[in-house]
Amino acid sequence: MSGFRLVLLFLRRARHEVGPSLALAGLVLITAFLFALGPRLLTATADDALRTTVTGYAVSDRSVELVEQTRICACDQADPLADAEAEGDRLQAMLPGHLRSTIADRVMAIDSTRWSVVEPQHVPAVLTIRWEPRALDHITFVAGRAPAGTTKTATIPSAGQLPAFTTPVMEAALVDESAEGLGVGVGDTLLLRPDPRDPLPRAAPVGTAVEIVGIYRISNPDDPFWFDEAALVHPTQRVYSSNVQFLDLFALAAPAAYAPYYTTSATSVGRSFNQAPLEGLPIHYRWRLFVDPARLRASDVGQLQLDLRRLQSTLPASGLSDGGAVIFSLLPTILQREDAAWQSALAVVAVVATGPAVIAGAAFGLVALLAARRRRATAWFWRVRGASWLQLAIATAAEAVLLVAPAAVIAVVLVGMVALGSASEPMPAASVVAVAAVAGVAFGLIGGTVVRLPPPDAPPAGARGGRVDRRRLVLEAGLLGVAVAAVALLRERTVNAAGGGGTVGIDPLLVAAPALAGIAAGTVARRILPLPLSLAARAAGSGRGLPVALGLRRATRLGGGGALLLVLLATVIVGTFSALALGQLDRAADVIAWHDVGAPVRIRANGGVLPPVIADAATKAGADAVAPAYRTVVNAGAAGPRTDLLAIDAPAYARLGSGLPLDADLPPELVTPARKLAPGDPVPVVISTALASGPNGLHVGSAPNVTIDGRQTALRVVAVRDTFPTLDPGGAFMIGSMPELNASRSLLLQATDLFVRAPDAATPALRALAASQASPMTITTRSEVAATVRDSPIVRAVEAWVEVAAIAGAAYAALAVLAALTLAAGARTAETGILRTFGLTRRQAVTLVVAEHGPIVGLAVVLGVAIGTILFVALRPGLGLTGVVGSPLEIPIAVEAPALALLLAYVVALAAVGIAIGAAIERRPAIAAIIRRGIG
């Protein structure tokens, strides 16, 4: 018989089994689609997380600002700012390609040097003149008009050794708050001299004047155009000391006034930073390059970081000097932080996704085996009729190609049609590889299971004279050895990861460890399980429960039960691991929030101290308890590191934290001191592990001296702690008692922070209280910080992928379990039919199936929960969850009872449905046909 004719006969036979063939092709299509969609979804998730995170930063932080201190003027042209714009073009052209492609807009702002207001002197003030033509499109004039050029001249009176100076008067506009603070209005003229506190032009014998022709208001202070700068939005206080404070103002001038100012300020004022003579007052040029987060792609982060490093090597990030541009941007830090967090997220996603991939492989193999069993009789029939093994293989391969190839092509087309990101985005190479891998596995399973299956009437492998397949034993032993070695190597790997700050990447060993451990555990269980089942079968056989004994004896042969054990075991391991990972992320948000806030609510002064009345006012606003604290920076010892000192009212804080999950752990010396300190006595303090480490580190009993509020203070170390609320984990810090510090050194430390215990309902009243105070302050709540961590794009992406992986694993597990029990039931139909001739009832038949598969389900559940928990504990440091949440704090592990209960309910329900289907299949065959064929 020719191979071509055999292929046609195979395909003609497949026409009569359309259902199984379409089912197998559908499984190939769905699996290939999911596996190919995964990389593209991951790319889209990474891009979305990057863009969302970058958008959350201030526009001035995520963009690039080029600053140059020089003098540029196209004074002989219609647009005197043309040369400055050309310089901006030159500097922007220096940006590397990837970085340049992210720039959406550029705004130029030109600032004069600071000028002291000579007249009128209602309040001490300094004024900076700003040329920013596009600003006129973002303001609304409430009085007067937009400024133009110069209209007249004015004489600046002499002052000391500075002679009188005649200068053109430039038109300018002030924001309404600045005009009110300075006490001027439309029509007033300000006479200006160089600010004597500015070391460069303070001795310049020059002056200038501006006439206020307009009062404006900012249309939208939050507009990104303003670059988060308060310059033109409202006045600020420039503080030189407690007695010397100036109102810092900006006036908006027109481009037509730039050339007169340039000419007026063109006088020698000494030497610049590089000792070159200055031919005029310095002018600051700022070119603000707005980075569009929508143009960022996660795949370009590495190149963008390289571009920024190259740019910073050309344009320094500090050291402003004449004639040289300087770059200011936090984008390198943002990208580095985001990339590290995403690498940690990828490690979690890769480990969690391995489980569903293994379950999918098991489901695929079982379905292919089920479909191939239908072809076994036909294959052996043609073999008996004279077909060679080669012809049989060619025919089977042709059928496999017809089933696999169209499904794989359709999967690729569907993935290409999914609208993720840009429509022109190419198909990721990983997606194509995934489709090819699924198609190859499907092809191999279909062909291999048909060609290598024994004849239809061959006894099962476990009943062939008790012989053991040595090659299989060697393979299983090797797999077990690899799994043990992987776990052993991961011990060192996870320790190193924990010591490196929790930021990790994808490690093949880390990714493969859960799958290896699960498969090894299932393999060992398959070898060991028959022994206790045999003992149980013997015990059951001595009683009257014959179906139970027969079911247990069936289970010892582990026909379809072996596959069922592996699938359920993998499902429970994946579910347990995923539940613990999700719980870890959720608890991390609460732990970080309690640490960062230190109480349900924290009120902190924005510079300076809090008003003394704030504690009583907070109590009246709904606070249950308050604890004041003073925060500063000191030197720990003569040559010690810069150390954060938190002087807290320890007894009040201990009462405040009672019943709250605060890891304060203050020693008794601070909370309940044995005696009241006398002046000069050393004050007990708690130090951080960082201060206690090293050969010169402090230790319990040490007595360092520090300067607090200008006074030398003797301390006594009474305890060492790794962390304390609101202080940097791993940093250098000290905690002392504020009442004892005040008593020992006669200090008058006032609170910079107020820890508040209050319900969430009291937060609006506390915010209203803070807004009513003259001193600026910030209110932070624990619930808001926790919500911020949970809503982090990286955290949400990891949670979504873990949930998707768990759902996909559960769906494939259902398919695999049904296929495994269907295979097992198909193999037992003859035996069940013979037993029915001996009086086996339908209820007993169901008992028989339950007794066969029930112990396997129970073992899979118990073993899976144990292995999943052990794996998570072992792999947690290497997973990089701390990198995902952005905090090195230790997060306790807790059993997620609701999630595990749901998982166990699903597994039991799945097994029950599969057992019911298996029992129904075993009752289907006709008893007469079975008797004629026999059991063998």
Side-chain angles (χ1 to χ4, degrees):
M1 178 181 297
S2 67
F4 178 73
R5 184 179 179 187
L6 187 61
V7 170
L8 292 179
L9 289 173
F10 256 74
L11 297 179
R12 185 177 300 172
R13 183 207 54 78
R15 218 174 33 175
H16 300 288
E17 295 183 356
V18 176
S21 299
L22 289 180
L24 186 57
L27 181 61
V28 174
L29 171 61
I30 294 173
T31 304
F33 175 75
L34 293 178
F35 276 52
L37 188 61
R40 193 161 186 181
L41 274 175
L42 195 61
T43 300
T45 303
D47 290 344
D48 182 67
L50 173 64
R51 293 161 183 166
T52 305
T53 301
V54 172
T55 302
Y57 284 88
V59 65
S60 58
D61 292 339
R62 68 174 187 250
S63 296
V64 177
E65 185 177 34
L66 303 176
V67 181
E68 193 170 348
Q69 179 177 281
T70 184
R71 291 176 61 83
I72 307 172
C73 183
C75 296
D76 56 346
Q77 299 181 23
D79 182 8
L81 305 182
D83 284 357
E85 286 287 7
E87 176 67 3
D89 293 337
R90 184 187 71 84
L91 292 175
Q92 185 170 349
M94 296 174 62
L95 271 60
H98 277 80
L99 179 60
R100 190 165 57 248
S101 66
T102 65
I103 304 302
D105 193 12
R106 189 184 81 202
V107 174
M108 182 182 68
I110 303 175
D111 290 340
S112 71
T113 187
R114 291 197 305 271
W115 298 87
S116 290
V117 179
V118 177
E119 293 181 6
Q121 279 195 334
H122 301 301
V123 294
V126 293
L127 181 75
T128 302
I129 304 170
R130 166 70 62 87
W131 289 271
E132 193 170 3
R134 290 177 57 182
L136 295 174
D137 300 330
H138 298 267
I139 62 176
T140 301
F141 283 93
V142 297
R145 58 175 175 80
T150 59
T151 56
K152 57 184 178 180
T153 61
T155 300
I156 312 298
S158 61
Q161 297 182 355
L162 296 178
F165 190 85
T166 302
T167 179
V169 178
M170 295 178 292
E171 293 186 353
L174 285 177
V175 70
D176 51 359
E177 294 184 26
S178 294
E180 181 180 355
L182 191 58
V184 299
V186 174
D188 290 334
T189 299
L190 307 180
L191 305 182
L192 310 172
R193 284 281 192 183
D195 183 10
R197 284 153 294 276
D198 194 331
L200 189 60
R202 62 185 175 185
V206 294
T208 190
V210 296
E211 179 185 359
I212 307 303
V213 298
I215 306 295
Y216 66 86
R217 182 175 298 155
I218 301 297
S219 304
N220 179 17
D222 297 326
D223 192 329
F225 172 83
W226 299 114
F227 214 68
D228 304 312
E229 184 185 31
L232 300 179
V233 178
H234 55 76
T236 57
Q237 284 288 128
R238 184 176 297 274
V239 180
Y240 293 96
S241 67
S242 58
N243 297 323
V244 182
Q245 300 181 8
F246 287 83
L247 197 64
D248 200 350
L249 311 173
F250 276 72
L252 185 63
Y258 178 74
Y261 174 84
Y262 184 89
T263 303
T264 301
S265 61
T267 181
S268 179
V269 295
R271 295 183 177 272
S272 64
F273 294 110
N274 58 11
Q275 299 303 308
L278 285 176
E279 297 304 326
L281 296 181
I283 301 176
H284 297 272
Y285 300 85
R286 306 173 188 273
W287 295 274
R288 292 162 174 175
L289 310 179
F290 291 82
V291 173
D292 183 6
R295 300 186 184 186
L296 298 177
R297 298 177 57 179
S299 58
D300 296 336
V301 166
Q303 185 61 47
L304 280 174
Q305 290 178 297
L306 181 60
D307 287 353
L308 286 165
R309 285 195 294 269
R310 289 176 177 172
L311 183 62
Q312 289 177 342
S313 66
T314 305
L315 303 176
S318 62
L320 186 64
S321 61
D322 299 277
V326 176
I327 180 173
F328 294 100
S329 177
L330 287 181
L331 189 59
T333 303
I334 295 173
L335 293 179
Q336 182 180 5
R337 187 181 303 160
E338 174 68 11
D339 186 53
W342 183 248
Q343 292 304 318
S344 297
L346 281 180
V348 179
V349 171
V351 171
V352 174
T354 302
V358 172
I359 300 173
F364 208 93
L366 289 171
V367 171
L369 184 64
L370 184 62
R373 180 163 288 181
R374 294 174 174 270
R375 295 163 172 78
R376 184 175 61 181
T378 302
W380 274 96
F381 173 77
W382 290 114
R383 178 79 177 112
V384 172
R385 293 288 301 270
S388 66
W389 281 114
L390 179 60
Q391 291 174 328
L392 191 63
I394 293 174
T396 305
E399 184 181 7
V401 168
L402 289 179
L403 287 175
V404 172
V409 172
I410 294 174
V412 173
V413 173
L414 290 177
V415 172
M417 293 173 60
V418 174
L420 293 175
S422 173
S424 60
E425 183 180 351
M427 176 81 69
S431 297
V432 179
V433 171
V435 172
V438 171
V441 170
F443 181 86
L445 287 173
I446 296 172
T449 51
V450 172
V451 174
R452 300 196 60 180
L453 274 176
D457 55 351
R464 296 176 189 174
R467 291 180 298 176
V468 178
D469 190 339
R470 295 182 180 180
R471 289 179 299 177
R472 185 171 182 177
L473 280 178
V474 171
L475 180 62
E476 292 176 354
L479 178 62
L480 181 61
V482 171
V484 173
V487 174
L489 289 174
L490 277 174
R491 295 297 303 170
E492 180 179 358
R493 162 72 164 75
T494 52
V495 170
N496 293 337
T503 300
V504 298
I506 296 180
D507 187 329
L509 180 62
L510 182 68
V511 172
L516 289 174
I519 295 174
T523 302
V524 172
R526 280 175 57 90
R527 291 295 180 185
I528 298 177
L529 186 59
L531 179 60
L533 289 178
S534 298
L535 296 177
R538 291 181 183 178
S542 61
R544 300 181 60 184
L546 182 61
V548 175
L550 290 176
L552 291 174
R553 288 176 181 173
R554 279 185 175 183
T556 58
R557 289 177 285 185
L558 289 179
L564 177 65
L565 174 63
L566 289 175
V567 171
L568 289 181
L569 185 61
T571 303
V572 178
I573 290 175
V574 171
T576 303
F577 196 96
S578 300
L580 291 174
L582 288 175
Q584 189 82 351
L585 290 175
D586 187 69
R587 281 190 302 278
D590 291 324
V591 171
I592 293 172
W594 283 115
H595 177 272
D596 289 356
V597 180
V601 182
R602 180 170 62 140
I603 304 176
R604 186 172 187 181
N606 296 340
V609 296
L610 293 172
V613 299
I614 193 67
D616 293 337
T619 302
K620 294 178 181 179
D624 300 329
V626 297
Y630 172 79
R631 192 182 304 268
T632 188
V633 178
V634 299
N635 285 324
R642 298 281 287 174
T643 303
D644 291 323
L645 172 66
L646 182 66
I648 192 169
D649 189 338
Y653 190 72
R655 291 191 298 269
L656 179 147
S658 177
L660 297 178
L662 285 171
D663 188 18
D665 191 21
L666 290 169
E669 290 87 346
L670 270 66
V671 178
T672 55
R675 64 182 180 86
K676 185 176 181 179
L677 294 181
D681 287 347
V683 179
V685 294
V686 178
I687 65 171
S688 65
T689 305
L691 288 178
S693 61
N696 298 322
L698 301 177
H699 54 82
V700 175
S702 296
N705 290 322
V706 300
T707 301
I708 303 176
D709 198 25
R711 297 192 180 187
Q712 279 290 112
T713 305
L715 307 177
R716 178 171 55 91
V717 178
V718 297
V720 179
R721 297 288 184 266
D722 293 329
T723 61
F724 192 82
T726 72
L727 296 174
D728 182 23
F733 60 79
M734 289 181 173
I735 308 107
S737 174
M738 187 164 66
E740 292 188 348
L741 283 169
N742 284 335
S744 173
R745 300 302 297 169
S746 299
L747 298 173
L748 294 176
L749 301 181
Q750 298 184 42
T752 60
D753 297 65
L754 187 69
F755 297 100
V756 180
R757 178 169 182 163
D760 291 339
T763 301
L766 292 174
R767 293 195 184 281
L769 168 64
S772 66
Q773 300 296 315
S775 301
M777 59 189 71
T778 301
I779 291 185
T780 308
T781 67
R782 181 212 61 82
S783 57
E784 291 173 345
V785 174
T788 300
V789 175
R790 289 190 176 97
D791 291 338
S792 165
I794 297 293
V795 173
R796 292 176 66 89
V798 171
E799 289 178 342
W801 273 95
V802 171
E803 292 170 356
V804 168
I807 294 174
Y812 273 111
L815 184 62
V817 167
L818 294 179
L821 292 178
T822 300
L823 285 172
R828 307 294 193 214
T829 51
E831 180 179 342
T832 304
I834 295 298
L835 291 175
R836 287 178 59 189
T837 64
F838 289 98
L840 184 73
T841 64
R842 291 191 173 184
R843 178 176 297 180
Q844 289 175 327
V846 173
T847 303
L848 186 66
V849 177
V850 172
E852 178 182 0
H853 298 296
I856 296 174
V857 174
L859 177 65
V861 169
V862 175
L863 196 60
V865 171
I867 294 175
T869 303
I870 293 172
L871 281 175
F872 182 79
V873 173
L875 300 181
R876 185 179 61 143
L879 283 176
L881 290 172
T882 55
V884 173
V885 297
S887 173
L889 293 172
E890 181 67 21
I891 311 300
I893 299 177
V895 177
E896 299 294 325
L900 290 180
L902 181 63
L903 171 64
L904 298 183
Y906 174 78
V907 171
V908 171
L910 182 61
V913 172
I915 289 173
I917 294 176
I921 292 175
E922 291 191 23
R923 293 197 302 265
R924 285 179 56 189
I927 297 180
I930 293 175
I931 294 176
R932 286 195 298 270
R933 190 175 64 189
I935 297 179

